[in-house]
Each structure stands twice: as C-alpha cells, then as structure tokens.
Amino acid sequence: MNAQFKRGIIELCVLSLLIEEDMYGYLIINKLSQHINVNENTIYPILRRLTKEGYFETYLKESREGPSRKYYKMTDKGFKHYLRLRDEWDSFIGGVYHIINQGGKKHEEILERFARRTEETESDGS
Amino acid sequence: MNAQFKRGIIELCVLSLLIEEDMYGYLIINKLSQHINVNENTIYPILRRLTKEGYFETYLKESREGPSRKYYKMTDKGFKHYLRLRDEWDSFIGGVYHIINQGGKKHEEILERFARRTEETESDGS
DNA sequence: AAATAGTATTGTGTAACGGAAGGTAGTGTG
DNA sequence: CACACTACCTTCCGTTACACAATACTATTT
C-alpha cells in the first residue's frame, strides 16, 4: 500500500470519527483499521498534535478491560477545522476524479486507449 | 490547500494523463492545473523520477511557440505501474469514503450529530 | 534591446507516515 | 506467585514527496 496516499487524509478520518462521539486512541485505531490500513504510530501522534492545536480536549476514564483510557473530545474549534478540511478534501478529490477518469470516461475505455496506442506504435515501425 | 493530500496522488494523475497520449512537462502542468492546484517544481521531479524508474521514455520535439519540448511516453512497465497504483487508490479511497461518510450517511446528518452532542453537553451542566 | 511567455532544472526546508522499540496497567492461567 | 497476554500509550528516527526559491535557456513580441 502506498503510504503517501494517507498523508493528511488520516487526519480527516480521525476528525470524522470524533464528530460522532468521544473515543480513545486504541478504539480509533481499531475503527479505522476496519477500512484502511493504519498504524498506531501514526494515529497517536496525530491525536496529540490535534489536541495541542486545540481541536480536541482529553479526559481519562477507567475501563474494566485494561488500563485507563484517554478519551478525545472534539471542540468547536476542532469542528470548524473539520469543516474546512472536509471542504478542501471534497474539492481536491473532485479535481482528481476528473483527471483520473478523464472527465467521466469509464476506466475500461481508458485502458483500451493505451492498448490501441501501443498497437499503433508497433505497426508504424519506428 | 492541504499540501499533504497531494502526496502520491499527483503521481497517479500524471500517469493517468500519459495513458492517453505523449505529453511534455509544461502541458502536463497546465492540464493538471485546470483541476487541481499544482506546482511545476512538483511535477518535473515526478517526471524525472518515473522516467528513471522506467515508467516513461522521453524524446525531444521542436515547437513553434518556444524551446524544444521534452515529451514523456508511457512504457508498458509504466502502464502496469499505473494499474497497480490505481487499484491501491481505488481501494484506499473506498475505505476513506466509508469512514468519512460513516457508512453512507449524508454529510448533513453527520454535521447535525455534532450540533446535537454539543447541546446535550451544555444542558447537562458538567 | 527589452520584455514576456514557454520550457526545464536543481537545491533546500518541512511535514507526516511507518518501523522499531519501549513502557504501564490490568486480566487470566497454571 | 510467576508468567503471559491483551489493552493502551509514547518517543525516536528514517524516508518520501510537496513547495518555495532561484536559475537558465529559447522564442516571440514590442
């Protein structure tokens, strides 16, 4: 998996989860892992950074299944940050879709195009 | 604009364009710029890197409007690379969509959810 | 001759993902 | 009791790729 893809997007994913409800790191990691491949060493630093920037507040809560959990709670500032980031993401992704699907073409058509070009090149003997 | 979003994706965009036809750097930059915000200093290094990795071949061609253009032509190896990257991208993005749209919920519902939570917190006086 | 547009390159700073390692707090088992 | 195991959190460091900045060359226009 291309690690580069994840840059910046994981932050948006974390923010998305915390809109719904307060969560602790370990749970966030598990939730994300159901859909994308994430690493704890990626998530914890993001949580700390976003907390430091005032997007989350934290509190400890005991658990019956292990050590105390550090819960993250989204602040209003965090919510605004989410809205901004989400906006940027949607518009960026819109642009990307346009490019990689060449304005609505089906993926198969695009693939065919390469095959056809290759044939042309081979038959013109250059 | 969050520069991090672009990581890795610009490479996919460049590859996508070159499936269709050979292009020179300056044109690629212009094409991409119609949809996303890109910087020449980002594109040229990508082109050089992908060439070095055998995904593109290059040739010079004179132009009437300025200096000679360096055209990039996708190789079979480059095409395979595209297919692989595109696959990874599609599956990664699928996961991301699931997370940020919380399994199909409309964006508005998600936003409402935060508003409701905020009210609850305010009225329970903690 | 100077300005402008077209075209390409290189150097450096910076942010964030991931591998590796380490650490604490509980639970369970023999 | 000792040990293993899971739940949970942290720090360090390498690597990768985007962006700012600066440079440079060619051709056209003024």
Side-chain angles (χ1 to χ4, degrees):
Chain A
M1 173 61 203
N2 189 326
Q4 302 303 326
F5 285 159
K6 302 181 187 164
R7 298 260 181 165
I9 308 177
I10 295 190
E11 175 175 333
L12 182 59
C13 289
V14 168
L15 286 161
S16 292
L17 287 184
L18 285 167
I19 291 173
E20 281 280 315
E21 50 182 313
D22 302 353
M23 286 186 199
Y24 52 100
Y26 195 76
L27 178 61
I28 292 172
I29 291 162
N30 285 334
K31 289 233 175 203
L32 294 179
S33 296
Q34 289 171 22
H35 304 289
I36 59 180
N37 200 299
V38 284
N39 193 298
E40 42 170 347
N41 314 310
T42 303
I43 304 304
Y44 286 119
I46 287 177
L47 289 171
R48 257 176 282 126
R49 197 185 83 234
L50 295 181
T51 303
K52 196 174 154 202
E53 288 170 0
Y55 300 146
F56 300 147
E57 281 162 5
T58 65
Y59 56 90
L60 285 175
K61 201 159 143 187
E62 284 184 21
S63 146
R64 255 150 288 130
E65 292 126 72
S68 286
R69 292 160 170 169
K70 193 193 233 174
Y71 278 80
Y72 292 84
K73 176 187 185 57
M74 179 175 276
T75 61
D76 283 346
K77 189 176 171 196
F79 187 61
K80 290 206 189 83
H81 178 60
Y82 164 78
L83 291 176
R84 202 167 41 242
L85 209 60
R86 174 74 195 239
D87 242 37
E88 283 184 8
W89 173 249
D90 285 345
S91 94
F92 173 64
I93 278 300
V96 168
Y97 265 61
H98 211 273
I99 294 166
I100 70 181
N101 294 320
Q102 313 211 351
K105 265 183 222 151
K106 292 242 179 58
H107 194 45
E108 300 79 48
E109 288 178 57
I110 297 169
L111 300 191
E112 256 175 51
R113 177 75 183 124
F114 184 76
R116 237 179 298 129
R117 288 181 63 210
T118 307
E119 282 161 29
E120 280 162 26
T121 310
E122 270 160 19
S123 58
D124 89 4
S126 78
Chain B
M1 173 61 201
N2 189 327
Q4 301 303 326
F5 284 158
K6 301 181 188 166
R7 295 262 180 162
I9 307 177
I10 295 189
E11 175 174 334
L12 182 60
C13 290
V14 168
L15 286 160
S16 292
L17 287 184
L18 286 167
I19 291 173
E20 281 281 314
E21 50 183 313
D22 301 354
M23 288 187 199
Y24 54 99
Y26 195 78
L27 178 62
I28 292 173
I29 292 161
N30 286 333
K31 289 235 176 203
L32 293 179
S33 296
Q34 289 170 22
H35 304 289
I36 59 180
N37 199 299
V38 284
N39 194 299
E40 45 169 345
N41 313 310
T42 302
I43 304 304
Y44 286 120
I46 288 177
L47 289 170
R48 258 176 281 127
R49 196 186 81 235
L50 295 181
T51 303
K52 196 173 155 201
E53 287 169 0
Y55 300 146
F56 299 146
E57 282 163 3
T58 64
Y59 56 92
L60 285 175
K61 201 161 144 188
E62 284 184 26
S63 146
R64 256 149 288 127
E65 291 124 73
S68 287
R69 295 158 168 170
K70 193 191 234 174
Y71 277 78
Y72 293 84
K73 175 186 186 58
M74 179 176 275
T75 62
D76 283 346
K77 189 176 171 196
F79 187 60
K80 290 206 189 83
H81 179 60
Y82 164 78
L83 291 176
R84 204 166 42 241
L85 209 59
R86 173 74 195 237
D87 242 35
E88 285 183 6
W89 172 249
D90 285 345
S91 95
F92 173 63
I93 276 300
V96 169
Y97 265 61
H98 210 273
I99 294 165
I100 70 182
N101 295 319
Q102 314 213 348
K105 265 184 221 149
K106 292 240 178 60
H107 195 43
E108 300 80 44
E109 288 177 58
I110 296 168
L111 301 190
E112 257 176 51
R113 177 74 185 126
F114 185 74
R116 240 180 295 126
R117 289 181 62 210
T118 307
E119 282 161 29
E120 280 161 25
T121 310
E122 272 161 17
S123 58
D124 88 3
S126 77

